[in-house]
Amino acid sequence: MDRIEYLADVIVRRGCGFALLAICMVMLGLSHDLLLCLKSGAILEALHGSVLGLFAYNAPKWNHKSTELWVLLNKGADLPPNYPPELLLEVLRKTYLRYAEMAGVVTLVLCIGAAIVWVFRG
């Protein structure tokens, strides 16, 4: 089970890394205006968290053989015999939820930062 959780974590972390790279580039482009930078980062990160939440919601409905996790597990060859595919989808769902929660925390931090900048901007 540890290998399945590790691979699911790698899959979701890699996707989140690409999304965060894009969000950071937008924020870097808007860094001339700190308030706009933080607000746009918060909005984009909230969108990112929402997408992760939708993935978590829909994960139990997916075909387990069409997931990247299945491919990384050598199309089931690395799984014990009679391993229920629902458990693979449950591991993916939990992983997506964990990263959606982290995205929510980052969104909250960016919103607080934007509020502080707005208050002290004058």
Side-chain angles (χ1 to χ4, degrees):
M1 190 65 163
D2 291 334
R3 182 163 187 259
I4 296 170
E5 291 172 354
Y6 170 76
L7 290 175
D9 191 64
V10 166
I11 291 166
V12 177
R13 191 182 322 142
R14 187 191 63 204
C16 289
F18 284 122
L20 289 176
L21 178 65
I23 292 169
C24 287
M25 290 299 106
V26 169
M27 291 177 67
L28 183 66
L30 297 172
S31 62
H32 60 87
D33 183 358
L34 186 57
L35 182 59
L36 182 61
C37 171
L38 292 172
K39 286 166 88 175
S40 63
I43 291 169
L44 291 172
E45 187 61 26
L47 179 64
H48 177 230
S50 299
V51 169
L52 288 170
L54 283 173
F55 280 4
Y57 176 76
N58 288 324
K61 302 171 192 165
W62 292 341
N63 178 6
H64 70 284
K65 292 185 178 180
S66 66
T67 63
E68 189 178 356
L69 181 58
W70 180 257
V71 173
L72 290 177
L73 289 168
N74 293 327
K75 299 186 178 178
D78 294 347
L79 293 175
N82 299 325
Y83 190 83
E86 294 81 24
L87 290 180
L88 289 177
L89 299 176
E90 181 64 19
V91 168
L92 275 175
R93 185 189 71 79
K94 287 180 180 179
T95 306
Y96 280 124
L97 273 179
R98 188 172 68 244
Y99 280 92
E101 290 172 359
M102 288 183 212
V105 170
V106 172
T107 301
L108 184 62
V109 168
L110 288 170
C111 286
I112 291 171
I116 290 171
V117 169
W118 179 74
V119 165
F120 290 111
R121 192 175 223 189

